[in-house]
Structure formats: structure tokens, C-alpha cells
Amino acid sequence: MLLSRPNRRISVAATLGLAAILLLSACGSDAKKTAAAAASGASGAPTTTSPPTEVRLGYFPNITHAPAIIGVEKGLFQTALAQNTLKAQTFNAGPDAVTALLSGAIDAAFVGPGPSINAYAKSGGEAIRIVAGSTSGGAALVVKPEIKSVADLKGKKVSSPQLGNTQDVALRKYLKDNGLATDTAGGGDVAITPLANADTLTAFANGDVQGAWVPEPFVTRLVQESGGKVLVDEATLWPDGKFVTTQLIVATEFLTKHPDIVKELITGENEAIKLLASDPAGAQKIVNDGINKLTGKPLKDAVLAASFKNLTFTLDPVASSLKAGADNAVAVKLLDAVDLKGIYDLTIVNEVLAADGKPAVTGLSCARRSRSGPTSPRRSRPRHRRASRLSPSPTSPRPTGTGPTPCSRSTGSGSTYAQANSSASSAHPGAGRARCSTSSPASTSPARDGSTSMGAPR
């Protein structure tokens, strides 16, 4: 049947609108899955799962998992899941959560960037997808008061949580960029000793280590309880102070079978992030009560408040920092290369953001490089510094190459990046099928995704 001219205009407009949605969602998503989701209905809503399903979710009893803790403790996940049932399980480390997910013991988990990459690499790019962000920021290098600059660390001993973990890579890359050599045996110009965060508190207080690159709340505890000072706030090393700390990953099989349930999980997380923004004091109490319930070790009020000031809670997975972190692990020889371009599926989180009237987030960027290659200098642009307790020493040199590099070939990693080396070679050649486009300029605009910082604007 021939359409009248006005109807043809409507048809063309609708087609163009659908094409725009597909192009935006495809960066960091499986193109075929995105197309299927868009074709399932005009609203793009996932299909309904029947009968009711048990949803097995993993998370950590730590403030960097605040949205997950609130979602569980306040019943926000269960409310969003409706007829489906939440079965929450806590873990103390990324490797355990990833092992549970890969073995089919859980369906989804809040984990850091290292565990996410490790799960992806171990499965040849098949087993998991990052579907949403959760937390950004909250890591720093804390040192003894007599350490005035990075140069003063030569000949000293510092700690990181685990060989090859996210903070360990950041520490080694920072030292390397400032001309200080390290090795995995604790040798070099600066001796790096892997210590559990709780053990670091004791070692720092006793003078056994002179510094530590750790996440919150251990940054604040080293400062408040042991008289340490922040030499480097990691947020100052990233554009707009944003880098991924925690994100939501889902088993690919579960995502394929139950996209509606994944949307419900993300909706529950979004409600938790809103609560963190609208009632910071109340949200912090919920988190601390949850930690106490799970561990019997609540944080002191002063530690809790100061730690939250250095964290931002957001559905944006800050994809560029995941890729750059993996590149940094390659640079410090803790990782072999693995292609990550299929690790994100952000179709559903963008539906949740759209329902809230917020701009979409993007996966890995495929901006074209200049002919001079990946080492060519980038044009400088203004950086927005946040006013934070974690301001690094003005005498501390700024590293080079620590932040994200557009469209560099990304690499696989583990809960520690080093663990992925043995798995990287098993990656399936066609694992990453996502089409990518240059990231939207909005990707660096403040509070574009409903994120909330508990401290000063970044």
C-alpha cells in the first residue's frame, strides 16, 4: 500500500530514530543482540520471563559496593524483581566471585575491573558481559609524613592489596612513569609487598611499610588511625577524576535468557544510587548497618563519612578506564594482550537511564587514531579538578600515560591482571563482535548518567 506524503515522513523519522538507538547501543554491545532487542517492540523493553526465577547475586560487604548493599538491605532489588526471587551472596574477593559465576553458582555479581576482565579472558570472551557501572573512585597512595615526593620512595617498602590487582597495577605504573623500577619479587628501586588491606593497616602503623596504594575505606583509615598522608589521589590521574572501581557483570547465558530480570536488577541498583544522592546520611547508615550485619565490624562514623566523600556512585561503567587499566598492566609486564571490545552490553542500562530522562552511557570507543600512531600526543583540554581531602602533594610529579588512551588495543586481566596471562591465549577469535563508534562528547560531562558523588564535584 502506498503511503501518503505525511505518513512517509513519519515512517522515515521512525526509521532514523531506530537507527540512532542501534548505533548508540552498539558501542560496547553485541550488535546482533542489540538489533534483536530493538526489534522486539517499539519500546525496546526486554521480553518477560516466566515462570518466576531465582536470581543469584554476588557482592562484597564493603563501601565500594554501597549500591549493592543498599539494594539488598532496603529490598530495592526484590521490589524491582517483583515475582522473581533474589538470593544474595557475599564474597570477600574478586577471584571467588568470578569462580562462582563461571561455575554457574551465581548469575550476576558486583566486582572490580580486574575480576571482570579475568572472567572475560578465561572464557574466551563468551561467559560474561559488563551491563552497568556502580562505583567510581576511592583509591590513593598513602605514605608516612616524612615522604615528601615520589622520589623519596626509592629504597622504601610499600604495599598493594594483591600482585596484579587494580591498585597494584596503578602503583607500579605510577612508579614506572616516575623513573622508579619494580619487579614482582619485591626488588627494584621500590619494594612492593602484597598485603591484605587489613594487614596493611598493621604494617603501616608498625613502620614495616612506608606507603600503600589501597581503596577506601583503607585510605581514610591509614590517614585517620595511623597518621598517614595522601601522596597521590588516583582520581587526579584520570580525566574528570573518573575511573571504574565496581561494576555489575552478568553471565552471558543468563543475560540472553532473562534480559527482563537483568533490567530489574539494574533498576534496583538505580534506585539505590538515587537514595545515595537524596539522603547521603541515611544511605551511609544503611551501608554501615549492612557491613556490620555481614561482618560484625562496622566502620567508625568519621571513617565512613570521609570515605564516602571520595566515591561516586553511577550506572556509567567508565569503560575507557577499564581498557586503560588493562593497557597499564601490559606496560608493567603483568598481562598479555586480549581483545576486550565485546565485553560490554549496555543496551539495558541505557533503557533504564532513558526512562529517567538521562543520557546514554557508552562502551569502548573506536575513535580513529592519527597516522603517527598510538604514541602521538593528544591535544590538551581543560581538566576539572575536584576539591578533595585526597589532593596529592604539589611536589609529586604527575605521571604520563596513566589515563585512558582512545581505541588502543585492550587487554585481558584477572581478579588480578596477572592471572589472565595463562588464559588470554584461549580467547575465541570472534568473541568481540560489537560495532563501535566515537564516544559521545557527553561522555565527559558532569552528572550525565544519574551519578552521585558523596564529595565535591569531580
Side-chain angles (χ1 to χ4, degrees):
M1 180 179 68
L2 293 177
L3 296 173
S4 66
R5 183 167 299 173
N7 285 336
R8 283 202 301 269
R9 287 175 182 161
I10 293 172
S11 177
V12 170
T15 301
L16 290 175
L18 176 61
I21 292 172
L22 288 174
L23 180 61
L24 181 59
S25 298
C27 192
S29 302
D30 186 299
K32 293 180 180 179
K33 184 184 299 179
T34 302
S40 65
S43 65
T47 56
T48 301
T49 300
S50 182
T53 302
E54 181 181 72
V55 186
R56 301 164 300 172
L57 176 68
Y59 67 104
F60 295 4
N62 187 58
I63 62 169
T64 55
H65 288 238
I69 295 173
I70 293 173
V72 172
E73 295 299 319
K74 286 287 290 181
L76 300 178
F77 287 132
Q78 187 56 67
T79 298
L81 286 169
Q83 66 173 349
N84 302 305
T85 303
L86 178 70
K87 181 180 179 181
Q89 180 177 351
T90 58
F91 296 87
N92 291 318
D96 295 337
V98 163
T99 298
L101 193 144
L102 292 179
S103 68
I106 60 175
D107 306 306
F110 287 90
V111 295
S116 304
I117 297 173
N118 190 41
Y120 187 79
K122 275 188 173 183
S123 67
E126 296 296 333
I128 67 104
R129 292 293 181 266
I130 299 169
V131 296
S134 178
T135 307
S136 169
L141 173 59
V142 182
V143 297
K144 292 289 187 179
E146 60 268 22
I147 302 296
K148 305 300 182 185
S149 71
V150 65
D152 293 338
L153 290 174
K154 187 171 185 178
K156 302 294 192 300
K157 183 182 290 187
V158 298
S159 69
S160 66
Q162 188 178 12
L163 174 64
N165 94 317
T166 307
Q167 288 80 43
D168 183 70
V169 170
L171 172 59
R172 292 176 188 275
K173 184 62 163 63
Y174 181 79
L175 294 174
K176 175 182 171 68
D177 287 343
N178 284 280
L180 295 172
T182 64
D183 63 40
T184 57
D189 297 323
V190 180
I192 298 179
T193 301
L195 288 174
N197 290 321
D199 295 333
T200 291
L201 295 173
T202 302
F204 189 86
N206 292 340
D208 297 330
V209 296
Q210 287 71 52
W213 200 300
V214 290
E216 289 290 6
F218 299 96
V219 173
T220 296
R221 291 190 64 184
L222 287 173
V223 171
Q224 292 189 2
E225 298 172 12
S226 298
K229 71 172 185 180
V230 171
L231 184 68
V232 182
D233 172 6
E234 188 173 341
T236 64
L237 309 182
W238 295 95
D240 299 312
K242 294 182 179 181
F243 61 98
V244 60
T245 301
T246 311
Q247 57 201 352
L248 177 60
I249 65 173
V250 176
T252 306
E253 182 178 1
F254 188 85
L255 175 62
T256 301
K257 290 181 178 179
H258 307 293
D260 59 321
I261 293 179
V262 174
K263 185 170 185 177
E264 289 164 358
L265 277 177
I266 297 173
T267 298
E269 182 193 2
N270 189 39
E271 292 304 310
I273 290 173
K274 289 179 182 178
L275 182 61
L276 282 157
S278 63
D279 183 12
Q284 289 177 27
K285 186 179 186 307
I286 295 168
V287 172
N288 208 23
D289 288 347
I291 291 173
N292 185 34
K293 175 181 171 182
L294 294 165
T295 69
K297 298 177 181 179
L299 296 170
K300 296 178 181 178
D301 290 343
V303 171
L304 188 73
S307 298
F308 267 80
K309 288 180 181 179
N310 301 307
L311 298 169
T312 297
F313 304 103
T314 173
L315 288 180
D316 185 355
V318 198
S320 57
S321 71
L322 177 102
K323 182 171 69 171
D327 289 342
N328 290 343
V330 173
V332 295
K333 303 186 186 306
L334 291 178
L335 181 65
D336 293 332
V338 149
D339 192 346
L340 293 180
K341 68 182 179 182
I343 196 170
Y344 288 96
D345 190 330
L346 305 178
T347 308
I348 296 175
V349 71
N350 281 330
E351 291 174 3
V352 173
L353 288 168
D356 263 359
K358 298 185 177 74
V361 296
T362 58
L364 297 179
S365 171
C366 283
R368 297 184 64 182
R369 294 184 185 278
S370 66
R371 291 185 179 181
S372 56
T375 58
S376 60
R378 300 171 62 188
R379 283 186 297 179
S380 61
R381 56 185 177 188
R383 290 168 58 95
H384 302 286
R385 295 272 187 130
R386 63 174 183 164
S388 168
R389 177 187 62 76
L390 295 184
S391 297
S393 166
T395 60
S396 176
R398 289 186 58 80
T400 58
T402 306
T405 305
C407 213
S408 57
R409 186 173 179 81
S410 296
T411 52
S413 154
S415 59
T416 67
Y417 286 100
Q419 292 174 348
N421 286 339
S422 61
S423 312
S425 60
S426 67
H428 297 182
R433 295 183 293 272
R435 294 183 319 218
C436 289
S437 61
T438 304
S439 296
S440 165
S443 64
T444 56
S445 61
R448 76 200 211 298
D449 54 9
S451 64
T452 172
S453 172
M454 304 298 288
R458 293 177 182 242

